[in-house]
Amino acid sequence: MSSERRKPYPFDTIEPKWQAHWDTHQTFHVPNPGEPTFDPTRPKFFILDMFPYPSGAGLHVGHPEGYTATDIVARFKRQCGFNVLHPMGWDAFGLPAEQYAIKTGQHPAVTTAANVAHFKGQLQRIGFAYDWQREVNTTDPGYFRWTQWIFLQLYSAWFNADTQRAEPISTYTGPDPDSVRLAYVADARVNWCAELGTVLANEEVIDGKSEVGGFPVVRRPMRQWMLRITAFAERLIHGLDGLDWPDSIKALQRNWIGRSEGAEVTFTSDAGAPITVFTTRPDTLFGATYLVLAPEQFLVEKLTTPEQADAVRAYVEKASRKSDLERTDLAKDKTGVWTGAFATNPVNYERVPIWIADYVLAGYGTGAIMAVPAHDERDWAFAQKFALPIREVVSDTPRLGLGGGSPCSAEPLDCFPGEGFAINSGPLDGLPTSEAKAEITRRLGAVGAGKKCITYKLRDWLFSRQRYWGEPFPVVWEEGKHRAIPASELPLMPPELSDFEPTGTGEPPLARAVEWLTYSPTARRETNTMPQWAGSCWYYLRYCDPSNTERFVGKAAESYWMGGSIEPEQTPNRPACHAQADVLGMAKSSGGVGEGEAGAAQGNPNSMTSSPELMEFEAQSPAPPTSFSSTSAGALSQTPSKPGGVDLYVGGTEHAVLHLLYARFWHKALYDLGHLSTPEPFQRLVNQGLIMGEDGQKMSKSRGNVVNPDTVIEAYGADAFRCYEMFMGPLEQSKPWSMTGVEGVSRFLARVWRLVMEEQQDGSWSLSPAIADVEPDKALRKVVHATIKKVGEDIETLSFNTAISQMMICVNALIPASPRPKSAVLRLLQVLNPFAPHLTEELWEKLAGVPTTLADEPWPAWDPVALIEDEWELPVQVNGKLRDKITVSRTADASEVEKTALLSPKVQEHIGGKPVRKVIVVPGKLVNVVV
RNA sequence: GCCGGUGUGGUGAAAUGGCAGACACAACGGACUUAAAAUCCGUUGGCGUGAAAACGCCGUACGGGUUCGAGUCCCGUCACCGGCACCA
């Protein structure tokens, strides 16, 4: 007995046939401006997928969900007359290939090539309309040559705080260019993962473990390459406003960047050293009863008194041994130690003790805080534990006349972190919190003891990895100084190695390649490699011009595919208070990588301040364009008519603060340096939801609930696979897989097939005799045109599930028709084509009898007249409850409709003789009688 | 704790403030068949009345509100999912 299912229609022969056809005819190739077949009259549409990492496991059903959605849009837009750029490529540097290489000794390039071939085969089986001539691979020297080139752009640029723009390093007039480069070397307490043998970016560490593999991550001081993403913090937040992205992703990015407004306040220690703290509540300054420094804060050693030195040293030592996990997770119990020192509050000249505690983070703000236990939960807990004084300075109700600055003797019973009115605060008394903040900041400014300040949680991007399978840095070291190699030497190939294993010491494996290492008798190559994100930071640009050997992307190609109508990026033009420092303010110029020890923190990391006037201006409104370059009326409008960038980008949420933030950063830097025409890369972003296993659990090998697209395609065909992925539910929602659901969609496609084809005795198929060249009747015509309308609208809004529902309705209406009007069936095939391209091409060929490619046919128009009914069936409510339905002429006016409704016996029954107070008639919708 | 999202039949879901449950899945009944598969037709939110046609009541997490009318808008509560979390 054969276990093979009978195929509901011969998808197994027609799918390869049409895939070969599209390939031979290069149906989905789109030429660039300047090429002979380029049609400049068509508008462009750039539709992008997040390109996959070609793992050995192959595609899972989650990948093609987004890919199918974009494929439908791409095919649709093409049929609507757009030049559609819809490419695919491979994000192929990365750990798994390298770990596999370590296990097997096989070179990562070999396994990567095999995996790419496997992935590509799987994608092609699904029938995606990619322009394969534009395929990119991040490990291709012709590609990573330009990744290295972009690194050199960042290396050779700095961020000018006055212009708020990246500029060539040549415009920098300060003493030490190495201290301001966008790519710089710093000693920092970095995330070191021993298991992976490499350091990781903050974004790659989750709950103290590596995102990849879940291995423990510890802080360790190392000398590393950093990218100065913090310089762009303000613009990265500001730029989100104009983007058509899900609010959740915008919120995630805003949250990650973590902008907060407050003030810097400078206390003076008894020894004379100024101690600057950052606070978001300067209005509580009168309630500051002690200061706290982070254990790593640079002033700790200087401030500590000899009597307390042992205790402080022990505490700092202990804190440094704690992992991040221990410092945060177990941290509800506060610890700390007194330095023995005091500082003076600049507003009331009160002497307050200076403490050290690891609840204060060295990397944020100034690494020092003023503690206001009455109004901060953490300070409250610390003060309780160490019996420090607590003074109430904010009340939830105005208590005027209590003031005078005299400290309240009774300690409050509770911590009140909310806003209210200042009390016990001298000149601030009675002011609401927001006004008190402004007033105290103004007063501090006047005496030079403080100023308004903005800080960010975002840290600079740790950009080097101690791995083999990544882009080598185009940098050499000579006499302890780094310098770029000339762009003409790119691509810089990685050395051939037989041992890819991490050294375990933090020294990268590239250091084993002695010959490669030697650049000149006196210069050695940088041995770190770039992180996997490097290649994906700009791949969308390379798609525009993938084989260009002169430039990372040609100017004409870039401005066509990425261009909009160009407007200056609207960012507040305001200077930073002081130059951004690296993670711990320790970025000193070069030394050998890996040789350095963590120096003492200096300066004031991640802290930017602007003058009060500019801040007020910014708070009111975004800066208007400084000049109008255009004479058109559009220049008066604040929003660009066409923002440009990628028109639609679909992918998962997992890259919210990784790829999507990194790519925006590179894009802005390249934009500033004049290489790009738009300030933002991705105009519209959509996240597809997760596909769960049939058991409703997340798909995973260990649960055994993983669905492989190949087996689905084997049994039901690619078209059924595509349609099911879209029919499951809204694109953005998580939803469980269901094999019976696939079967249902497969039945639908088989019905479409049998609309046109009839099975013979011998099992072969021939054109159904029911098909005839007749006009559809009014009802059928209405369904067909409603379907054309709805499917087109639904594709625009990515509501693919309801588009398919509508086509099912259409098919259900066509099935019983005899004869079946050919024109109606052809329209159906056209609208179904983006969803089920193989089936519809085949039937189109059979039915049209001419050798055309359906994918090339224009999208059909719908006729509004066909949708108009002569009569309407209207529901009639009495007091909002449905009681009857009446049929009225489309042309009947409201009073006629009302009269008809009131004539209904059922309606009369429910009115029950009561006087009718009001009748609401919504034309074409309903009637509501109010009694 | 903070931010974002979600809550509708047995299941996936649909519904510009206007007939809740379209379209499917599953289930049940029927036709075709020697039989099965496939296909086609029908029933299917809950409770109640009725032989039946039909009719009534309830129903979109829960409690309020706005409205002629609320799944949809507003206020509050609960549950679940995702992110951040000693960020001063």
Side-chain angles (χ1 to χ4, degrees):
Chain A
M1 210 181 137
S2 166
S3 64
E4 190 168 325
R5 293 176 63 258
R6 233 177 109 273
K7 306 241 183 306
Y9 71 97
F11 58 79
D12 52 334
T13 54
I14 63 182
E15 287 177 357
K17 169 184 163 184
W18 287 100
Q19 283 159 17
H21 176 97
W22 300 323
D23 188 43
T24 329
H25 293 80
Q26 285 294 293
T27 306
F28 302 110
H29 171 59
V30 60
N32 263 4
E35 288 177 36
T37 51
F38 177 74
D39 180 355
T41 64
R42 290 167 173 251
K44 69 95 183 182
F45 199 84
F46 187 172
I47 178 161
L48 182 68
D49 292 309
M50 288 183 184
F51 66 165
Y53 175 80
S55 71
L59 227 51
H60 57 81
V61 292
H63 283 118
E65 188 192 14
Y67 298 166
T68 304
T70 54
D71 198 63
I72 289 165
V73 177
R75 287 171 175 269
F76 170 73
K77 285 285 177 184
R78 225 180 131 263
Q79 290 170 319
C80 291
F82 286 80
N83 282 329
V84 172
L85 179 56
H86 183 43
M88 181 45 76
W90 318 105
D91 186 17
F93 275 129
L95 277 176
E98 185 175 327
Q99 283 165 329
Y100 189 74
I102 291 167
K103 252 197 318 210
T104 65
Q106 222 172 22
H107 196 279
V110 176
T111 50
T112 298
N115 290 350
V116 165
H118 183 212
F119 261 66
K120 188 172 177 180
Q122 284 187 301
L123 289 181
Q124 285 178 322
R125 269 190 90 182
I126 305 173
F128 290 134
Y130 292 123
D131 178 358
W132 286 109
Q133 292 184 36
R134 292 175 183 266
E135 180 179 354
V136 303
N137 182 328
T138 55
T139 65
D140 184 341
Y143 182 93
F144 71 68
R145 165 189 182 179
W146 297 110
T147 311
Q148 292 168 329
W149 178 86
I150 292 169
F151 175 84
L152 291 184
Q153 300 307 299
L154 299 173
Y155 179 82
S156 313
W158 68 298
F159 192 82
N160 184 337
D162 292 333
T163 60
Q164 285 288 299
R165 293 284 181 275
E167 294 176 8
I169 200 78
S170 56
T171 68
Y172 177 73
T173 54
D176 179 14
D178 286 349
S179 66
V180 298
R181 294 177 188 278
L182 294 186
Y184 63 93
V185 172
D187 287 305
R189 288 182 69 240
V190 297
N191 306 298
W192 165 256
C193 178
E195 205 76 28
L196 296 175
T198 185
V199 298
L200 297 169
N202 291 328
E203 290 81 355
E204 294 171 305
V205 180
I206 294 166
D207 293 336
K209 293 187 179 137
S210 63
E211 192 196 23
V212 176
F215 302 118
V217 172
V218 296
R219 288 284 182 175
R220 175 171 158 176
M222 287 176 80
R223 181 150 289 188
Q224 295 293 325
W225 283 96
M226 311 287 295
L227 297 186
R228 206 176 299 276
I229 189 172
T230 51
F232 291 79
E234 191 64 34
R235 282 166 64 193
L236 287 169
I237 287 180
H238 200 79
L240 290 170
D241 293 341
L243 299 180
D244 182 6
W245 284 23
D247 285 340
S248 59
I249 299 288
K250 288 191 186 184
L252 243 44
Q253 290 211 350
R254 286 200 185 97
N255 211 340
W256 188 261
I257 297 166
R259 180 186 201 273
S260 73
E261 280 187 31
E264 280 184 356
V265 182
T266 302
F267 287 65
T268 312
S269 73
D270 284 0
I275 305 168
T276 301
V277 302
F278 172 74
T279 178
T280 54
R281 292 293 299 273
D283 61 299
T284 62
L285 184 50
F286 284 85
T289 51
Y290 59 102
L291 298 186
V292 189
L293 308 191
E296 299 86 355
Q297 227 271 2
F298 69 102
L299 285 170
V300 167
E301 213 172 318
K302 194 189 279 183
L303 290 171
T304 303
T305 59
E307 301 79 56
Q308 287 296 99
D310 287 345
V312 168
R313 200 175 303 119
Y315 184 79
V316 171
E317 172 75 9
K318 198 172 156 203
S320 74
R321 276 203 308 271
K322 282 191 198 173
S323 72
D324 273 18
L325 200 58
E326 288 168 316
R327 274 174 79 154
T328 55
D329 237 35
L330 323 169
K332 297 308 151 197
D333 201 22
K334 300 267 181 296
T335 60
V337 61
W338 182 39
T339 59
F342 288 88
T344 303
N345 186 325
V347 287
N348 59 7
Y349 306 106
E350 192 170 53
R351 280 176 81 237
V352 295
I354 304 169
W355 283 67
I356 293 168
D358 65 4
Y359 83 91
V360 173
L361 305 177
Y364 182 75
T366 61
I369 63 157
M370 63 180 209
V372 186
H375 306 289
D376 181 284
E377 304 269 11
R378 299 149 301 184
D379 298 342
W380 174 271
F382 192 80
Q384 293 284 335
K385 176 156 179 185
F386 293 99
L388 291 156
I390 297 170
R391 185 185 313 138
E392 188 178 17
V393 291
V394 181
S395 163
D396 53 357
T397 49
R399 276 194 255 156
L400 283 168
L402 214 163
S406 59
C408 171
S409 52
E411 290 201 347
L413 298 172
D414 253 325
C415 177
F416 172 59
E419 302 210 338
F421 300 87
I423 57 172
N424 300 325
S425 294
L428 304 181
D429 280 354
L431 290 179
T433 297
S434 59
E435 284 173 38
K437 283 182 185 176
E439 177 60 18
I440 191 69
T441 308
R442 193 187 62 74
R443 283 169 180 264
L444 286 168
V447 299
K451 58 192 170 184
K452 188 149 186 169
C453 183
I454 297 167
T455 65
Y456 302 90
K457 284 196 247 179
L458 184 70
R459 304 297 143 83
D460 275 341
W461 177 12
L462 197 159
F463 193 67
S464 39
R465 299 290 182 275
Q466 293 72 51
R467 304 299 311 216
Y468 172 73
W469 192 229
E471 302 88 346
F473 281 77
V475 167
V476 295
W477 290 85
E478 190 161 28
E479 289 167 8
K481 299 263 300 171
H482 49 74
R483 71 162 199 269
I485 64 170
S488 59
E489 293 179 20
L490 302 181
L492 169 59
M493 304 291 288
E496 287 300 326
L497 280 186
S498 51
D499 182 5
F500 313 107
E501 192 105 33
T503 60
T505 62
E507 174 140 44
L510 294 199
R512 294 200 187 96
V514 178
E515 207 168 302
W516 178 87
L517 213 55
T518 310
Y519 182 74
S520 77
T522 51
R524 294 179 47 188
R525 291 193 190 278
E526 167 66 58
T527 53
N528 282 286
T529 53
M530 299 187 199
Q532 197 184 343
W533 310 105
S536 59
C537 263
W538 71 285
Y539 74 112
Y540 56 97
L541 294 168
R542 189 61 178 172
Y543 283 141
C544 298
D545 198 9
S547 48
N548 195 324
T549 54
E550 304 300 314
R551 233 176 154 266
F552 74 119
V553 53
K555 284 224 182 243
E558 189 275 335
S559 68
Y560 179 71
W561 292 115
M562 293 297 292
S565 42
I566 300 160
E567 300 254 334
E569 189 184 11
Q570 291 178 16
T571 35
N573 178 11
R574 63 183 181 75
C577 61
H578 34 243
Q580 287 281 294
D582 68 284
V583 175
L584 277 181
M586 297 188 295
K588 283 170 281 181
S589 56
S590 48
V593 167
E595 291 163 20
E597 238 181 281
Q602 295 175 349
N604 191 357
N606 298 301
S607 186
M608 288 168 73
T609 307
S610 48
S611 64
E613 314 80 57
L614 283 169
M615 286 311 304
E616 276 162 33
F617 168 70
E618 184 194 273
Q620 283 158 13
S621 66
T626 45
S627 66
F628 297 123
S629 54
S630 155
T631 53
S632 75
L636 295 172
S637 130
Q638 288 281 321
T639 48
S641 53
K642 199 175 155 230
V646 171
D647 297 278
L648 176 63
Y649 194 13
V650 176
T653 50
E654 66 273 20
H655 296 304
V657 292
L658 292 156
H659 160 65
L660 287 171
L661 195 60
Y662 296 152
R664 290 181 64 219
F665 159 47
W666 278 33
H667 194 97
K668 285 183 182 301
L670 290 168
Y671 169 74
D672 288 355
L673 297 171
H675 298 303
L676 298 176
S677 51
T678 58
E680 285 285 343
F682 314 123
Q683 190 40 225
R684 182 181 176 201
L685 175 76
V686 174
N687 293 122
Q688 85 266 21
L690 223 55
I691 294 185
M692 316 295 233
E694 298 228 33
D695 54 2
Q697 303 280 91
K698 201 170 164 178
M699 277 193 196
S700 75
K701 243 187 233 163
S702 56
R703 287 200 186 88
N705 59 355
V706 176
V707 178
N708 183 337
D710 292 343
T711 62
V712 179
I713 292 171
E714 198 74 44
Y716 301 100
D719 284 334
F721 177 74
R722 294 169 59 111
C723 288
Y724 175 66
E725 290 242 354
M726 296 297 99
F727 187 62
M728 291 172 80
L731 180 65
E732 304 188 58
Q733 203 166 297
S734 286
K735 54 237 157 192
W737 187 269
S738 156
M739 272 309 174
T740 56
V742 184
E743 207 156 319
V745 170
S746 163
R747 276 204 281 271
F748 158 66
L749 294 179
R751 277 204 297 279
V752 173
W753 174 261
R754 292 196 309 270
L755 270 181
V756 181
M757 305 299 287
E758 194 178 64
E759 192 166 19
Q760 302 304 301
Q761 291 290 331
D762 62 0
S764 67
W765 295 91
S766 63
L767 205 60
S768 166
I771 296 277
D773 244 328
V774 295
E775 278 301 303
D777 65 26
K778 197 168 163 54
L780 196 53
R781 189 173 149 77
K782 187 190 168 193
V783 173
V784 170
H785 283 264
T787 301
I788 298 171
K789 177 171 189 278
K790 180 152 178 66
V791 172
E793 290 167 354
D794 282 356
I795 292 175
E796 294 277 5
T797 59
L798 312 184
S799 308
F800 305 108
N801 54 331
T802 51
I804 292 171
S805 294
Q806 180 63 38
M807 290 187 280
M808 286 173 168
I809 292 169
C810 186
V811 170
N812 291 345
L814 278 166
I815 289 264
S818 183
R820 271 173 216 145
K822 186 171 160 184
S823 63
V825 175
L826 287 174
R827 294 300 86 76
L828 171 72
L829 293 178
Q830 282 181 282
V831 297
L832 182 57
N833 175 257
F835 297 78
H838 312 87
L839 169 72
T840 50
E841 287 278 11
E842 180 72 13
L843 292 178
W844 181 266
E845 183 187 59
K846 291 256 189 320
L847 213 50
V850 281
T852 56
T853 303
L854 177 52
D856 288 332
E857 293 292 315
W859 188 257
W862 55 278
D863 179 5
V865 176
L867 301 183
I868 296 173
E869 297 263 27
D870 294 335
E871 292 189 322
W872 279 329
E873 190 185 59
L874 294 187
V876 182
Q877 300 178 335
V878 178
N879 287 339
K881 286 199 164 160
L882 178 70
R883 295 305 180 187
D884 199 8
K885 289 179 185 181
I886 56 170
T887 303
V888 296
S889 158
R890 180 173 55 83
T891 53
D893 63 23
S895 66
E896 272 176 83
V897 172
E898 180 177 333
K899 213 185 298 167
T900 316
L902 290 172
L903 281 176
S904 152
K906 283 184 197 163
V907 171
Q908 280 302 328
E909 191 188 319
H910 283 96
I911 290 172
K914 282 173 260 175
V916 173
R917 286 197 296 154
K918 200 177 192 194
V919 179
I920 287 147
V921 178
V922 185
K925 284 289 181 195
L926 61 40
V927 182
N928 190 10
V929 181
V930 186
V931 292

